[in-house]
Amino acid sequence: MARSIPKRERSPSASLSTAAPAKKPRVAKGKVWPPADIEPSLHPARYGHPVFDLPALTTSPNGGITPPSDRPQPMLLGAHVSSAGGVGTALLRAGLAGANGLAFFVKSQRQWKSKPYEDEVVDKFRELMKSKEEGGMGYGPESILVHGSYLINLGNPDQAKWETSYECFRDDIARCHQLGVKLYNWHPGSTVGACTKEESFASIAKAINQVHKEVPEVITVIENMANAGSNIVGTAWSDLASMIALVEDKSRVRVCIDTCHTFAAGYDLRTEEAYKKTMKEFDEVVGNKYLAGVHLNDSKADLGANKDLHENIGLGKIGLTAFRLLMRDPLMAGIPIVLETPALDGPTPSDHVSIWSKEIAMLYEIQAIPDDEWDTKKVEIEARWRKERDAINPPKEKKKPAPKGKAKKGKKAESEEDEE
């Protein structure tokens, strides 16, 4: 039986129940659950990484959904994993990578509409979200940052196109609510050259305010963007602040920082001085209290290049130092930190997450290295990591230019042939 997404005219409180289903998950005929190649018995121990001594947090320094604690918050480090085979498989794949946090798409990211979830899909997901003591995997709502469809552009002034984007946006968020997920992240959009950025900000805020009234609880998380074109909104910290200012319920709007996008837009992260300057500006313009997630990516392009080209951690233009600083920053504790780096397109889930599992382990490793050892260790780790990455996912050879046509016979060509 399909569990349909509630219609907009229905009462949100009545149609979007938060109660977990009481019945046990059913398995469709002919399907094995969990899939043999990603069953929980294959998972490495999670929360088993050495934890850098982050200071105990008596107040929450960020916009995460976990309450303040008198003990250090965990680093919810993970990856954006596939949900092929049902959204529950995303949790299993994250477990294979040794991840404490994760992201995934709640439906195809390249289709406007998808069929409603089957009851068993929702049931399986909710079962896996339960604590280990309850037989689940312990991925609580604070550790999951769902990624929205790439098709959505809420900054488009064309009303018909805005409506199409809004329906997709709302459907994504309603699915999050069905699953018990609290954080929904998406790309704000573009003016498409048809309006001012300020008008786009208003269109985006209109969608946020409307969806907050129609779907309860889920927090909308705006992602900062690479300045890939003058029409893109969300590239500057001030863009994010302008959109947030127009949102009525500030408790349900947050921000996700993508490190590659940040670097591409001209905010430097490569040294301690640069990292602190960029994050200080973020706090002053947007506010640390709005930070609820991070997309962790190195960049193939230079600072301010306006190109969104992800690279594996430490092997691009940003470099390992920036990611060590981020991993040692108390601001990053207790919020999903999600790798979106290039991965192996292998035949099994284990192959696919193999690079991420090594990146996660390496990030915890550099987090724990003392300052006085960093310069030496950095060179060793980068060389080792590049070798490991290349062994799993060899760099693609650059295509050779097509051979030029034969030179026309002339005096120059003839003289060259004579010399040969």
Side-chain angles (χ1 to χ4, degrees):
M1 176 181 175
R3 182 171 294 174
S4 62
I5 302 297
K7 299 293 184 182
R8 286 172 57 182
E9 60 269 19
R10 293 181 188 171
S11 166
S13 59
S15 58
L16 288 167
S17 172
T18 58
K23 60 184 179 181
K24 291 184 178 181
R26 294 181 289 105
V27 179
K29 287 184 178 180
K31 293 184 179 180
V32 177
W33 181 264
D37 52 2
I38 48 176
E39 64 175 1
S41 64
L42 298 176
H43 298 171
R46 291 177 47 243
Y47 294 102
H49 298 284
V51 178
F52 175 67
D53 189 21
L54 290 168
L57 306 175
T58 54
T59 58
S60 180
N62 57 42
I65 62 175
T66 49
S69 171
D70 60 357
R71 56 194 174 89
Q73 297 289 313
M75 299 297 282
L76 301 178
L77 180 60
H80 185 134
V81 293
S82 169
S83 56
V87 286
T89 65
L91 303 181
L92 299 177
R93 288 182 174 92
L96 275 181
N100 292 338
L102 70 148
F104 60 92
F105 296 113
V106 289
K107 64 177 188 285
S108 172
Q109 76 276 24
R110 301 200 182 277
Q111 292 180 0
W112 288 112
K113 295 181 179 180
S114 295
K115 65 179 182 180
Y117 288 145
E118 296 290 331
D119 287 349
E120 64 185 280
V121 170
V122 177
D123 293 347
K124 288 171 186 174
F125 189 90
R126 285 181 173 270
E127 287 292 323
L128 287 171
M129 277 185 70
K130 290 180 179 179
S131 68
K132 291 182 180 180
E133 293 73 21
E134 296 175 302
M137 295 186 66
Y139 286 116
E142 74 282 354
S143 62
I144 301 172
L145 181 66
V146 159
H147 200 301
S149 169
Y150 292 137
L151 298 176
I152 296 168
N153 180 9
L154 297 170
N156 193 330
D158 183 292
Q159 185 60 28
K161 292 179 180 178
W162 184 92
E163 284 284 351
T164 301
S165 282
Y166 178 77
E167 290 300 330
C168 184
F169 176 66
R170 184 191 181 281
D171 180 70
D172 274 1
I173 293 172
R175 288 171 188 265
C176 288
H177 190 273
Q178 282 185 289
L179 297 172
V181 173
K182 305 297 184 186
L183 298 172
Y184 172 80
N185 154 244
W186 89 106
H187 297 174
S190 164
T191 68
V192 298
C195 66
T196 66
K197 282 196 172 184
E198 289 70 25
E199 289 170 326
S200 264
F201 299 156
S203 294
I204 292 162
K206 174 186 173 184
I208 296 171
N209 290 330
Q210 187 168 318
V211 84
H212 285 174
K213 293 179 175 70
E214 295 178 357
V215 184
E217 297 184 341
V218 180
I219 296 170
T220 47
V221 183
I222 308 169
E223 183 173 343
N224 73 312
M225 301 304 296
N227 191 14
S230 60
N231 297 330
I232 302 296
V233 298
T235 61
W237 297 149
S238 57
D239 286 5
L240 303 176
S242 295
M243 286 181 269
I244 290 170
L246 299 173
V247 175
E248 295 165 4
D249 186 353
K250 301 290 195 294
S251 71
R252 291 184 60 192
V253 64
R254 294 289 187 271
V255 167
C256 170
I257 292 177
D258 184 304
T259 53
C260 177
H261 296 178
T262 301
F263 190 71
Y267 296 102
D268 201 356
L269 299 163
R270 293 171 293 183
T271 65
E272 184 172 5
E273 181 182 6
Y275 178 88
K276 287 182 176 179
K277 179 182 177 183
T278 290
M279 295 312 299
K280 182 174 184 289
E281 186 176 345
F282 173 83
D283 188 28
E284 291 172 347
V285 177
V286 181
N288 287 342
K289 66 181 181 180
Y290 287 110
L291 181 63
V294 175
H295 288 169
L296 211 59
N297 303 295
D298 210 321
S299 173
K300 292 180 181 179
D302 291 320
L303 175 67
N306 300 333
K307 294 180 179 179
D308 182 16
L309 300 173
H310 294 193
E311 177 59 288
N312 289 105
I313 300 301
L315 304 184
K317 301 292 185 177
I318 299 177
L320 276 181
T321 295
F323 298 103
R324 175 176 175 268
L325 292 166
L326 186 146
M327 288 293 293
R328 294 167 72 92
D329 188 345
L331 179 64
M332 304 300 165
I335 60 175
I337 302 175
V338 179
L339 291 163
E340 295 180 324
T341 51
L344 176 65
D345 189 16
T348 71
S350 295
D351 291 328
H352 191 70
V353 304
S354 56
I355 283 183
W356 294 328
S357 63
K358 289 183 179 296
E359 274 182 306
I360 288 169
M362 185 265 292
L363 283 161
Y364 283 116
E365 179 185 2
I366 65 175
Q367 181 192 54
I369 296 174
D371 290 339
D372 59 356
E373 298 178 19
W374 174 240
D375 288 342
T376 302
K377 294 282 189 181
K378 173 188 171 185
V379 177
E380 296 173 4
I381 292 171
E382 183 178 320
R384 185 196 73 209
W385 166 227
R386 187 179 295 277
K387 187 175 181 180
E388 289 178 349
R389 192 282 305 267
D390 291 352
I392 298 171
N393 196 15
K396 294 179 181 178
E397 293 184 8
K398 292 183 178 180
K399 292 183 179 180
K400 295 180 180 180
K404 295 180 180 179
K406 292 183 179 180
K408 291 182 179 180
K409 291 290 182 179
K411 289 184 178 180
K412 185 176 181 181
E414 288 173 354
S415 65
E416 288 173 349
E417 288 176 355
D418 289 342
E419 289 173 2
E420 290 176 357

